[in-house]
Amino acid sequence: MSNRNIGIKDVAVAAGVSATTVSHVLNEVSYARVSQETRNKVRSAAEQLGYGPNRLAQALRTQRTGVLGLLSEDIATTPHAGRIILGADEAARARGYNLMVINTSGSASLESRRADVEALLERRVDGILYATMYHRSVELPPNLGSVPSILVDSVAADGDIIAVIPDEAGGARVAVRALLEAGHTRIGFINNTTEVPSTRLRLQAFRATLTEAGLDGDAAPVESAASDAQGGYEAALRILAGEEPPTGLFCYNDRMAMGAYRAAAELGLQIPADLSVVGFDDQELIAANLHPGLSTVALPHYAMGAWATEHLIDAIEGKSDLPQTAVRPTILRCPLVCRDSIGPPRN
Amino acid sequence: MSNRNIGIKDVAVAAGVSATTVSHVLNEVSYARVSQETRNKVRSAAEQLGYGPNRLAQALRTQRTGVLGLLSEDIATTPHAGRIILGADEAARARGYNLMVINTSGSASLESRRADVEALLERRVDGILYATMYHRSVELPPNLGSVPSILVDSVAADGDIIAVIPDEAGGARVAVRALLEAGHTRIGFINNTTEVPSTRLRLQAFRATLTEAGLDGDAAPVESAASDAQGGYEAALRILAGEEPPTGLFCYNDRMAMGAYRAAAELGLQIPADLSVVGFDDQELIAANLHPGLSTVALPHYAMGAWATEHLIDAIEGKSDLPQTAVRPTILRCPLVCRDSIGPPRN
DNA sequence: CTGAAAGCGCTAACAC
DNA sequence: GTGTTAGCGCTTTCAG
């Protein structure tokens, strides 16, 4: 158990060497030539005393804190933040970094978000991750630029800060293909009504995938509503009302899929026997607890957090150029998580 | 926008005073007597140059970082972590502190968790919050003791570290009372099977509340199963199978309640007309998206995070004695969140 | 009312 | 091979 009162000096005294030597040995400084014997003495003295480095003092001296700031919007509203933090934390720690987390409100003024960044800068973080809880475009506080920064799950409204986002179109394709491969030819899409990238991108990919499969993508039924269970329920009722209703349903998200389940139940439709359903988001709380389990496309929050952290550290350590990568946001795969809501269409 | 290259010295030069005076003015040191005129000069010079303090250097000098370590178990598995972090972050920032967050695995070895604490200690955090994702007893890494610490949502297996936990019994009472007040007299409980405090405490409170209301608490039907939707479904089918099935159902958590909804639907029971249901946890993703909305008891994660932070800072700043408060864990209220799953029993 | 000097714990030139 | 010295940016006696 490391003793907070032991410094490099105490170790030096105990080992009968100078502080410099202790520093050299403990940090395995490449150019330092210290005899093996001395090294052993130093190490065992450090061990004995329970020495732990004072990262603060190191940071002050080296101008490197080994701390990454994570500004996370609305950290408590979705389970997504947790996955981003986990991905970032694991990637950071693998390289000796730690995370300083600050919650910020997506709806907060630019000024208040500027102050959040400021707090991080005063702590002399080596870089900043700015994470949003859904894929969108953000207006960034100007002081974000004073240190290497990466956007997670969003792109900058202006300018060219490096960013990592989910492959919305790819995710939608995977979802629709799963339905196609199960044999469905009448496939509908229940979409969100709000103006966010995913609304448009998923719809486009939905139609394109059908068309590529030889179906009429443009004619495929689409119903939009609020992106919760109630909206999904209403949209599903509408889309299933026709003469030849779809046998496969792609839903904008898992909450809407949850509503679609209810609509199906009311209409006497069994899932997946009479109706196959695919969701989006992989909100496990919903997807795994619906009956039957909802097959859905996962958003790569963990991967985005890890990717951003990896690359941020590379930039900090001069292993890569941030601007270079910044031209286009990096797009991460959205894999399909198979549960039990997809089956072949009836006859 | 604060300039990272400006130090107290630069401000001093610009204002034509010494660094000491700048420090005195900017920190509003009580015993410092500086003329108003000088103060103004200093402040405007600081403003002009975009000076921001180097918290690292301050910390090294004052032996106070103003950083709290938050060791959160399994941060990504539940949405609970987000609420704890939010509560902690807001409480911390209100007092000038920031959070360094590290994820740790609840199932990880004591040694690996000791290393997590060690990382925090090397950063010289002023105190540590150790948070678990469900109310339980934890074996703590011994080095946690080297700095003021508080447990969030758990109690120490041994020893007397201060802790804050939810009022499980109170929450259960509130839930059962809601059913009672709606007029139900046949009330059942769907419980979890695992050996955690909440399993026992909620059951006890369930029976006690019924008995206090003049019913036979000991005879009230209880069925246990795995704490997910499938378990809730099975337990609900069993509990509703009898001659005179309950008209009100208290469920161990929202996921089990979700299963109970399915069981009710299969049995042709309308909620709340034929069956009233109350959950526990207030997992909004489920509770708000079920139909009808699930009335449920909320766990005070935000409040626990805030409370712990408040008190940790008090202890750090010497405003209270941690040991003193440590005798018994502090218990925070679990309020009922009313939605639409409770109604009067039929006739 | 204001400033000079020392030092928090560490690292990096440079000297020996 | 190892030690001396200076200094990262700040606060805090202590003198004036």
Side-chain angles (χ1 to χ4, degrees), chain A residues 244-276:
Chain A
E244 286 218 309
T247 58
L249 224 46
F250 171 38
C251 302
Y252 173 79
N253 67 15
D254 294 348
R255 286 179 299 158
M256 295 191 84
M258 187 171 172
Y261 268 54
R262 177 157 77 94
E266 284 189 8
L267 296 172
L269 262 28
Q270 295 275 348
I271 295 172
D274 304 306
L275 181 71
S276 287

PDB file of all heavy atoms in Angstrom, chain A residues 244-276:
ATOM      1  N   GLU A 244     -52.064  -5.249 -47.980  1.00  0.00           N
ATOM      2  CA  GLU A 244     -50.954  -6.201 -47.928  1.00  0.00           C
ATOM      3  C   GLU A 244     -49.872  -5.629 -47.030  1.00  0.00           C
ATOM      4  O   GLU A 244     -48.876  -5.094 -47.516  1.00  0.00           O
ATOM      5  CB  GLU A 244     -50.401  -6.428 -49.329  1.00  0.00           C
ATOM      6  CG  GLU A 244     -51.276  -7.284 -50.198  1.00  0.00           C
ATOM      7  CD  GLU A 244     -50.421  -8.215 -51.062  1.00  0.00           C
ATOM      8  OE1 GLU A 244     -49.488  -7.723 -51.723  1.00  0.00           O
ATOM      9  OE2 GLU A 244     -50.665  -9.437 -51.041  1.00  0.00           O
ATOM     10  N   PRO A 245     -50.055  -5.723 -45.738  1.00  0.00           N
ATOM     11  CA  PRO A 245     -49.116  -5.092 -44.803  1.00  0.00           C
ATOM     12  C   PRO A 245     -47.748  -5.763 -44.870  1.00  0.00           C
ATOM     13  O   PRO A 245     -47.639  -6.916 -45.274  1.00  0.00           O
ATOM     14  CB  PRO A 245     -49.765  -5.317 -43.449  1.00  0.00           C
ATOM     15  CG  PRO A 245     -50.585  -6.536 -43.614  1.00  0.00           C
ATOM     16  CD  PRO A 245     -51.063  -6.532 -45.021  1.00  0.00           C
ATOM     17  N   PRO A 246     -46.723  -5.030 -44.491  1.00  0.00           N
ATOM     18  CA  PRO A 246     -45.382  -5.603 -44.467  1.00  0.00           C
ATOM     19  C   PRO A 246     -45.297  -6.785 -43.500  1.00  0.00           C
ATOM     20  O   PRO A 246     -46.033  -6.842 -42.515  1.00  0.00           O
ATOM     21  CB  PRO A 246     -44.501  -4.447 -43.989  1.00  0.00           C
ATOM     22  CG  PRO A 246     -45.414  -3.405 -43.466  1.00  0.00           C
ATOM     23  CD  PRO A 246     -46.731  -3.611 -44.105  1.00  0.00           C
ATOM     24  N   THR A 247     -44.411  -7.694 -43.825  1.00  0.00           N
ATOM     25  CA  THR A 247     -44.172  -8.826 -42.921  1.00  0.00           C
ATOM     26  C   THR A 247     -42.880  -8.609 -42.148  1.00  0.00           C
ATOM     27  O   THR A 247     -42.561  -9.358 -41.238  1.00  0.00           O
ATOM     28  CB  THR A 247     -44.053 -10.133 -43.718  1.00  0.00           C
ATOM     29  OG1 THR A 247     -42.981  -9.989 -44.669  1.00  0.00           O
ATOM     30  CG2 THR A 247     -45.336 -10.425 -44.471  1.00  0.00           C
ATOM     31  N   GLY A 248     -42.152  -7.585 -42.552  1.00  0.00           N
ATOM     32  CA  GLY A 248     -40.920  -7.258 -41.843  1.00  0.00           C
ATOM     33  C   GLY A 248     -40.904  -5.773 -41.524  1.00  0.00           C
ATOM     34  O   GLY A 248     -41.304  -4.952 -42.348  1.00  0.00           O
ATOM     35  N   LEU A 249     -40.479  -5.435 -40.315  1.00  0.00           N
ATOM     36  CA  LEU A 249     -40.513  -4.045 -39.884  1.00  0.00           C
ATOM     37  C   LEU A 249     -39.150  -3.627 -39.351  1.00  0.00           C
ATOM     38  O   LEU A 249     -38.608  -4.239 -38.436  1.00  0.00           O
ATOM     39  CB  LEU A 249     -41.538  -3.918 -38.759  1.00  0.00           C
ATOM     40  CG  LEU A 249     -42.508  -2.745 -38.767  1.00  0.00           C
ATOM     41  CD1 LEU A 249     -43.121  -2.548 -40.139  1.00  0.00           C
ATOM     42  CD2 LEU A 249     -43.588  -2.984 -37.723  1.00  0.00           C
ATOM     43  N   PHE A 250     -38.620  -2.575 -39.949  1.00  0.00           N
ATOM     44  CA  PHE A 250     -37.367  -2.010 -39.451  1.00  0.00           C
ATOM     45  C   PHE A 250     -37.757  -0.775 -38.648  1.00  0.00           C
ATOM     46  O   PHE A 250     -38.465   0.089 -39.152  1.00  0.00           O
ATOM     47  CB  PHE A 250     -36.462  -1.649 -40.632  1.00  0.00           C
ATOM     48  CG  PHE A 250     -35.234  -0.860 -40.259  1.00  0.00           C
ATOM     49  CD1 PHE A 250     -34.521  -1.121 -39.093  1.00  0.00           C
ATOM     50  CD2 PHE A 250     -34.772   0.152 -41.103  1.00  0.00           C
ATOM     51  CE1 PHE A 250     -33.388  -0.392 -38.764  1.00  0.00           C
ATOM     52  CE2 PHE A 250     -33.633   0.886 -40.781  1.00  0.00           C
ATOM     53  CZ  PHE A 250     -32.949   0.615 -39.608  1.00  0.00           C
ATOM     54  N   CYS A 251     -37.326  -0.720 -37.408  1.00  0.00           N
ATOM     55  CA  CYS A 251     -37.715   0.396 -36.546  1.00  0.00           C
ATOM     56  C   CYS A 251     -36.530   1.303 -36.257  1.00  0.00           C
ATOM     57  O   CYS A 251     -35.419   0.826 -36.006  1.00  0.00           O
ATOM     58  CB  CYS A 251     -38.278  -0.117 -35.229  1.00  0.00           C
ATOM     59  SG  CYS A 251     -39.697  -1.191 -35.446  1.00  0.00           S
ATOM     60  N   TYR A 252     -36.800   2.581 -36.246  1.00  0.00           N
ATOM     61  CA  TYR A 252     -35.771   3.595 -36.023  1.00  0.00           C
ATOM     62  C   TYR A 252     -34.975   3.350 -34.750  1.00  0.00           C
ATOM     63  O   TYR A 252     -33.783   3.579 -34.703  1.00  0.00           O
ATOM     64  CB  TYR A 252     -36.416   4.976 -35.975  1.00  0.00           C
ATOM     65  CG  TYR A 252     -35.454   6.058 -35.588  1.00  0.00           C
ATOM     66  CD1 TYR A 252     -34.560   6.575 -36.514  1.00  0.00           C
ATOM     67  CD2 TYR A 252     -35.410   6.560 -34.279  1.00  0.00           C
ATOM     68  CE1 TYR A 252     -33.646   7.560 -36.158  1.00  0.00           C
ATOM     69  CE2 TYR A 252     -34.506   7.540 -33.919  1.00  0.00           C
ATOM     70  CZ  TYR A 252     -33.628   8.037 -34.857  1.00  0.00           C
ATOM     71  OH  TYR A 252     -32.731   8.999 -34.508  1.00  0.00           O
ATOM     72  N   ASN A 253     -35.647   2.921 -33.700  1.00  0.00           N
ATOM     73  CA  ASN A 253     -34.911   2.564 -32.483  1.00  0.00           C
ATOM     74  C   ASN A 253     -35.665   1.514 -31.680  1.00  0.00           C
ATOM     75  O   ASN A 253     -36.775   1.105 -32.048  1.00  0.00           O
ATOM     76  CB  ASN A 253     -34.584   3.806 -31.645  1.00  0.00           C
ATOM     77  CG  ASN A 253     -35.816   4.461 -31.051  1.00  0.00           C
ATOM     78  OD1 ASN A 253     -36.894   3.862 -31.016  1.00  0.00           O
ATOM     79  ND2 ASN A 253     -35.671   5.688 -30.598  1.00  0.00           N
ATOM     80  N   ASP A 254     -35.053   1.066 -30.606  1.00  0.00           N
ATOM     81  CA  ASP A 254     -35.642  -0.015 -29.824  1.00  0.00           C
ATOM     82  C   ASP A 254     -36.923   0.399 -29.116  1.00  0.00           C
ATOM     83  O   ASP A 254     -37.825  -0.404 -28.910  1.00  0.00           O
ATOM     84  CB  ASP A 254     -34.627  -0.534 -28.801  1.00  0.00           C
ATOM     85  CG  ASP A 254     -33.442  -1.209 -29.471  1.00  0.00           C
ATOM     86  OD1 ASP A 254     -33.514  -1.465 -30.688  1.00  0.00           O
ATOM     87  OD2 ASP A 254     -32.446  -1.481 -28.782  1.00  0.00           O
ATOM     88  N   ARG A 255     -37.000   1.674 -28.754  1.00  0.00           N
ATOM     89  CA  ARG A 255     -38.217   2.126 -28.091  1.00  0.00           C
ATOM     90  C   ARG A 255     -39.400   2.071 -29.049  1.00  0.00           C
ATOM     91  O   ARG A 255     -40.495   1.635 -28.691  1.00  0.00           O
ATOM     92  CB  ARG A 255     -38.030   3.555 -27.560  1.00  0.00           C
ATOM     93  CG  ARG A 255     -37.145   3.588 -26.322  1.00  0.00           C
ATOM     94  CD  ARG A 255     -36.951   5.000 -25.820  1.00  0.00           C
ATOM     95  NE  ARG A 255     -36.308   5.849 -26.820  1.00  0.00           N
ATOM     96  CZ  ARG A 255     -36.382   7.172 -26.841  1.00  0.00           C
ATOM     97  NH1 ARG A 255     -37.086   7.801 -25.916  1.00  0.00           N
ATOM     98  NH2 ARG A 255     -35.757   7.856 -27.771  1.00  0.00           N
ATOM     99  N   MET A 256     -39.165   2.491 -30.272  1.00  0.00           N
ATOM    100  CA  MET A 256     -40.238   2.415 -31.256  1.00  0.00           C
ATOM    101  C   MET A 256     -40.588   0.955 -31.547  1.00  0.00           C
ATOM    102  O   MET A 256     -41.751   0.601 -31.716  1.00  0.00           O
ATOM    103  CB  MET A 256     -39.842   3.142 -32.546  1.00  0.00           C
ATOM    104  CG  MET A 256     -39.656   4.639 -32.337  1.00  0.00           C
ATOM    105  SD  MET A 256     -39.508   5.593 -33.882  1.00  0.00           S
ATOM    106  CE  MET A 256     -41.248   5.848 -34.292  1.00  0.00           C
ATOM    107  N   ALA A 257     -39.565   0.108 -31.543  1.00  0.00           N
ATOM    108  CA  ALA A 257     -39.806  -1.322 -31.765  1.00  0.00           C
ATOM    109  C   ALA A 257     -40.684  -1.876 -30.645  1.00  0.00           C
ATOM    110  O   ALA A 257     -41.571  -2.701 -30.863  1.00  0.00           O
ATOM    111  CB  ALA A 257     -38.484  -2.071 -31.820  1.00  0.00           C
ATOM    112  N   MET A 258     -40.452  -1.366 -29.437  1.00  0.00           N
ATOM    113  CA  MET A 258     -41.251  -1.796 -28.290  1.00  0.00           C
ATOM    114  C   MET A 258     -42.725  -1.461 -28.545  1.00  0.00           C
ATOM    115  O   MET A 258     -43.622  -2.267 -28.266  1.00  0.00           O
ATOM    116  CB  MET A 258     -40.737  -1.086 -27.041  1.00  0.00           C
ATOM    117  CG  MET A 258     -41.362  -1.559 -25.753  1.00  0.00           C
ATOM    118  SD  MET A 258     -40.469  -0.820 -24.343  1.00  0.00           S
ATOM    119  CE  MET A 258     -41.545  -1.339 -22.991  1.00  0.00           C
ATOM    120  N   GLY A 259     -42.959  -0.295 -29.102  1.00  0.00           N
ATOM    121  CA  GLY A 259     -44.327   0.094 -29.455  1.00  0.00           C
ATOM    122  C   GLY A 259     -44.879  -0.784 -30.565  1.00  0.00           C
ATOM    123  O   GLY A 259     -46.064  -1.151 -30.561  1.00  0.00           O
ATOM    124  N   ALA A 260     -44.014  -1.150 -31.497  1.00  0.00           N
ATOM    125  CA  ALA A 260     -44.446  -2.020 -32.594  1.00  0.00           C
ATOM    126  C   ALA A 260     -44.873  -3.384 -32.061  1.00  0.00           C
ATOM    127  O   ALA A 260     -45.834  -3.981 -32.534  1.00  0.00           O
ATOM    128  CB  ALA A 260     -43.320  -2.171 -33.616  1.00  0.00           C
ATOM    129  N   TYR A 261     -44.173  -3.857 -31.040  1.00  0.00           N
ATOM    130  CA  TYR A 261     -44.551  -5.128 -30.412  1.00  0.00           C
ATOM    131  C   TYR A 261     -45.988  -5.049 -29.900  1.00  0.00           C
ATOM    132  O   TYR A 261     -46.774  -5.971 -30.055  1.00  0.00           O
ATOM    133  CB  TYR A 261     -43.618  -5.433 -29.234  1.00  0.00           C
ATOM    134  CG  TYR A 261     -42.400  -6.266 -29.562  1.00  0.00           C
ATOM    135  CD1 TYR A 261     -41.527  -5.894 -30.572  1.00  0.00           C
ATOM    136  CD2 TYR A 261     -42.114  -7.432 -28.837  1.00  0.00           C
ATOM    137  CE1 TYR A 261     -40.392  -6.644 -30.854  1.00  0.00           C
ATOM    138  CE2 TYR A 261     -40.985  -8.189 -29.111  1.00  0.00           C
ATOM    139  CZ  TYR A 261     -40.125  -7.796 -30.118  1.00  0.00           C
ATOM    140  OH  TYR A 261     -39.004  -8.539 -30.382  1.00  0.00           O
ATOM    141  N   ARG A 262     -46.282  -3.920 -29.272  1.00  0.00           N
ATOM    142  CA  ARG A 262     -47.625  -3.777 -28.710  1.00  0.00           C
ATOM    143  C   ARG A 262     -48.667  -3.742 -29.820  1.00  0.00           C
ATOM    144  O   ARG A 262     -49.715  -4.388 -29.728  1.00  0.00           O
ATOM    145  CB  ARG A 262     -47.710  -2.502 -27.867  1.00  0.00           C
ATOM    146  CG  ARG A 262     -49.100  -2.253 -27.319  1.00  0.00           C
ATOM    147  CD  ARG A 262     -49.099  -1.384 -26.087  1.00  0.00           C
ATOM    148  NE  ARG A 262     -48.914   0.019 -26.359  1.00  0.00           N
ATOM    149  CZ  ARG A 262     -49.920   0.897 -26.515  1.00  0.00           C
ATOM    150  NH1 ARG A 262     -51.182   0.486 -26.447  1.00  0.00           N
ATOM    151  NH2 ARG A 262     -49.665   2.161 -26.726  1.00  0.00           N
ATOM    152  N   ALA A 263     -48.361  -3.014 -30.874  1.00  0.00           N
ATOM    153  CA  ALA A 263     -49.292  -2.941 -31.996  1.00  0.00           C
ATOM    154  C   ALA A 263     -49.531  -4.338 -32.565  1.00  0.00           C
ATOM    155  O   ALA A 263     -50.678  -4.739 -32.821  1.00  0.00           O
ATOM    156  CB  ALA A 263     -48.732  -2.009 -33.067  1.00  0.00           C
ATOM    157  N   ALA A 264     -48.441  -5.084 -32.725  1.00  0.00           N
ATOM    158  CA  ALA A 264     -48.554  -6.436 -33.272  1.00  0.00           C
ATOM    159  C   ALA A 264     -49.450  -7.288 -32.378  1.00  0.00           C
ATOM    160  O   ALA A 264     -50.343  -7.996 -32.861  1.00  0.00           O
ATOM    161  CB  ALA A 264     -47.170  -7.064 -33.394  1.00  0.00           C
ATOM    162  N   ALA A 265     -49.218  -7.191 -31.070  1.00  0.00           N
ATOM    163  CA  ALA A 265     -50.012  -7.980 -30.133  1.00  0.00           C
ATOM    164  C   ALA A 265     -51.493  -7.644 -30.273  1.00  0.00           C
ATOM    165  O   ALA A 265     -52.348  -8.531 -30.334  1.00  0.00           O
ATOM    166  CB  ALA A 265     -49.540  -7.732 -28.709  1.00  0.00           C
ATOM    167  N   GLU A 266     -51.790  -6.375 -30.373  1.00  0.00           N
ATOM    168  CA  GLU A 266     -53.193  -5.961 -30.486  1.00  0.00           C
ATOM    169  C   GLU A 266     -53.835  -6.445 -31.771  1.00  0.00           C
ATOM    170  O   GLU A 266     -55.031  -6.712 -31.823  1.00  0.00           O
ATOM    171  CB  GLU A 266     -53.291  -4.434 -30.420  1.00  0.00           C
ATOM    172  CG  GLU A 266     -53.122  -3.915 -29.016  1.00  0.00           C
ATOM    173  CD  GLU A 266     -53.440  -2.435 -28.918  1.00  0.00           C
ATOM    174  OE1 GLU A 266     -53.935  -1.862 -29.905  1.00  0.00           O
ATOM    175  OE2 GLU A 266     -53.173  -1.866 -27.847  1.00  0.00           O
ATOM    176  N   LEU A 267     -53.023  -6.520 -32.802  1.00  0.00           N
ATOM    177  CA  LEU A 267     -53.545  -6.962 -34.092  1.00  0.00           C
ATOM    178  C   LEU A 267     -53.539  -8.480 -34.207  1.00  0.00           C
ATOM    179  O   LEU A 267     -53.882  -9.042 -35.239  1.00  0.00           O
ATOM    180  CB  LEU A 267     -52.717  -6.359 -35.233  1.00  0.00           C
ATOM    181  CG  LEU A 267     -52.759  -4.832 -35.356  1.00  0.00           C
ATOM    182  CD1 LEU A 267     -51.753  -4.352 -36.386  1.00  0.00           C
ATOM    183  CD2 LEU A 267     -54.174  -4.377 -35.728  1.00  0.00           C
ATOM    184  N   GLY A 268     -53.125  -9.142 -33.147  1.00  0.00           N
ATOM    185  CA  GLY A 268     -53.089 -10.599 -33.164  1.00  0.00           C
ATOM    186  C   GLY A 268     -51.946 -11.168 -33.984  1.00  0.00           C
ATOM    187  O   GLY A 268     -51.994 -12.306 -34.443  1.00  0.00           O
ATOM    188  N   LEU A 269     -50.929 -10.361 -34.178  1.00  0.00           N
ATOM    189  CA  LEU A 269     -49.779 -10.802 -34.964  1.00  0.00           C
ATOM    190  C   LEU A 269     -48.677 -11.342 -34.044  1.00  0.00           C
ATOM    191  O   LEU A 269     -48.254 -10.663 -33.126  1.00  0.00           O
ATOM    192  CB  LEU A 269     -49.219  -9.608 -35.746  1.00  0.00           C
ATOM    193  CG  LEU A 269     -49.588  -9.385 -37.212  1.00  0.00           C
ATOM    194  CD1 LEU A 269     -50.950  -9.966 -37.555  1.00  0.00           C
ATOM    195  CD2 LEU A 269     -49.552  -7.891 -37.532  1.00  0.00           C
ATOM    196  N   GLN A 270     -48.231 -12.552 -34.319  1.00  0.00           N
ATOM    197  CA  GLN A 270     -47.135 -13.132 -33.549  1.00  0.00           C
ATOM    198  C   GLN A 270     -45.796 -12.664 -34.113  1.00  0.00           C
ATOM    199  O   GLN A 270     -45.627 -12.605 -35.323  1.00  0.00           O
ATOM    200  CB  GLN A 270     -47.171 -14.669 -33.666  1.00  0.00           C
ATOM    201  CG  GLN A 270     -48.390 -15.327 -33.059  1.00  0.00           C
ATOM    202  CD  GLN A 270     -48.234 -15.590 -31.570  1.00  0.00           C
ATOM    203  OE1 GLN A 270     -47.125 -15.477 -31.027  1.00  0.00           O
ATOM    204  NE2 GLN A 270     -49.334 -15.908 -30.914  1.00  0.00           N
ATOM    205  N   ILE A 271     -44.859 -12.405 -33.212  1.00  0.00           N
ATOM    206  CA  ILE A 271     -43.490 -12.079 -33.628  1.00  0.00           C
ATOM    207  C   ILE A 271     -42.612 -13.268 -33.274  1.00  0.00           C
ATOM    208  O   ILE A 271     -42.657 -13.726 -32.128  1.00  0.00           O
ATOM    209  CB  ILE A 271     -42.975 -10.827 -32.884  1.00  0.00           C
ATOM    210  CG1 ILE A 271     -43.809  -9.604 -33.287  1.00  0.00           C
ATOM    211  CG2 ILE A 271     -41.497 -10.573 -33.188  1.00  0.00           C
ATOM    212  CD1 ILE A 271     -43.518  -8.358 -32.474  1.00  0.00           C
ATOM    213  N   PRO A 272     -41.858 -13.843 -34.183  1.00  0.00           N
ATOM    214  CA  PRO A 272     -41.658 -13.415 -35.560  1.00  0.00           C
ATOM    215  C   PRO A 272     -42.521 -14.157 -36.587  1.00  0.00           C
ATOM    216  O   PRO A 272     -42.334 -13.934 -37.775  1.00  0.00           O
ATOM    217  CB  PRO A 272     -40.185 -13.765 -35.793  1.00  0.00           C
ATOM    218  CG  PRO A 272     -39.989 -15.012 -35.005  1.00  0.00           C
ATOM    219  CD  PRO A 272     -40.899 -14.906 -33.803  1.00  0.00           C
ATOM    220  N   ALA A 273     -43.420 -15.011 -36.124  1.00  0.00           N
ATOM    221  CA  ALA A 273     -44.168 -15.828 -37.085  1.00  0.00           C
ATOM    222  C   ALA A 273     -44.936 -14.979 -38.103  1.00  0.00           C
ATOM    223  O   ALA A 273     -44.850 -15.210 -39.307  1.00  0.00           O
ATOM    224  CB  ALA A 273     -45.123 -16.760 -36.345  1.00  0.00           C
ATOM    225  N   ASP A 274     -45.666 -13.974 -37.596  1.00  0.00           N
ATOM    226  CA  ASP A 274     -46.450 -13.142 -38.517  1.00  0.00           C
ATOM    227  C   ASP A 274     -45.748 -11.843 -38.881  1.00  0.00           C
ATOM    228  O   ASP A 274     -46.053 -11.228 -39.901  1.00  0.00           O
ATOM    229  CB  ASP A 274     -47.796 -12.787 -37.868  1.00  0.00           C
ATOM    230  CG  ASP A 274     -48.557 -14.011 -37.455  1.00  0.00           C
ATOM    231  OD1 ASP A 274     -48.766 -14.887 -38.314  1.00  0.00           O
ATOM    232  OD2 ASP A 274     -48.917 -14.118 -36.268  1.00  0.00           O
ATOM    233  N   LEU A 275     -44.860 -11.422 -38.034  1.00  0.00           N
ATOM    234  CA  LEU A 275     -44.180 -10.148 -38.261  1.00  0.00           C
ATOM    235  C   LEU A 275     -42.769 -10.204 -37.683  1.00  0.00           C
ATOM    236  O   LEU A 275     -42.579 -10.570 -36.532  1.00  0.00           O
ATOM    237  CB  LEU A 275     -44.963  -9.021 -37.571  1.00  0.00           C
ATOM    238  CG  LEU A 275     -44.402  -7.606 -37.734  1.00  0.00           C
ATOM    239  CD1 LEU A 275     -44.590  -7.112 -39.165  1.00  0.00           C
ATOM    240  CD2 LEU A 275     -45.069  -6.652 -36.754  1.00  0.00           C
ATOM    241  N   SER A 276     -41.807  -9.878 -38.527  1.00  0.00           N
ATOM    242  CA  SER A 276     -40.426  -9.805 -38.044  1.00  0.00           C
ATOM    243  C   SER A 276     -40.094  -8.353 -37.753  1.00  0.00           C
ATOM    244  O   SER A 276     -40.535  -7.454 -38.464  1.00  0.00           O
ATOM    245  CB  SER A 276     -39.459 -10.354 -39.096  1.00  0.00           C
ATOM    246  OG  SER A 276     -39.574 -11.759 -39.171  1.00  0.00           O
TER     247      SER A 276
END
